[in-house]
């Protein structure tokens, strides 16, 4: 169930958000970041991306130009637009 969430999943999601924020602020010339997990849970995927974008308006989510044949999960939750969800 992708909507499953417990304390461990929440803790991992917090760490992932912290790592994503670090990746976008610790390096002066960074202009692109790839965020990827091996988790199937919304809490660690869509909601981390949504929370990051909510707090960092200078960043935008774009769909990758490679792997276009891969099916995207794109669950629209937590304020993600349909376009943003489709990019995941």
């Amino acid at each position: 169930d992708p909507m499953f969430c417990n304390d461990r999943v929440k803790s991992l999601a917090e760490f992932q958000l912290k790592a994503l924020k670090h990746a976008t602020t610790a390096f002066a010339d960074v202009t692109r970041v790839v965020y990827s997990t091996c988790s199937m849970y919304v809490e660690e995927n869509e909601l981390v991306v949504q929370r990051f974008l909510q707090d960092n308006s200078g960043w935008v989510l774009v769909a990758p130009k490679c792997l276009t044949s891969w099916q995207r999960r794109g669950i629209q939750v937590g304020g993600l637009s349909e376009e943003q969800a489709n990019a995941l």
Side-chain angles (χ1 to χ4, degrees):
D1 175 16
M3 300 305 282
F4 173 80
C5 186
N6 64 15
D7 288 342
R8 177 72 173 146
V9 172
K10 287 179 184 179
S11 175
L12 289 168
E14 286 299 321
F15 172 78
Q16 291 160 349
L17 180 60
K18 184 178 178 180
L20 184 56
K21 287 180 180 179
H22 177 75
T24 61
T25 59
F27 308 98
D29 296 328
V30 70
T31 59
R32 293 181 187 171
V33 173
V34 174
Y35 176 72
S36 177
T37 73
C38 60
S39 173
M40 62 179 262
Y41 302 124
V42 167
E43 186 77 26
E44 293 180 90
N45 291 302
E46 288 87 350
L47 290 179
V48 168
V49 171
Q50 183 273 325
R51 289 173 59 198
F52 175 80
L53 293 172
Q54 178 181 320
D55 296 340
N56 298 276
S57 61
W59 288 88
V60 295
L61 177 63
V62 295
K65 294 179 182 178
C66 60
L67 307 173
T68 55
S69 64
W70 284 23
Q71 182 177 356
R72 307 255 176 253
R73 178 168 79 171
I75 298 174
Q76 191 176 348
V77 295
L80 287 176
S81 70
E82 182 178 357
E83 180 180 7
Q84 289 172 323
N86 289 334
L88 298 172

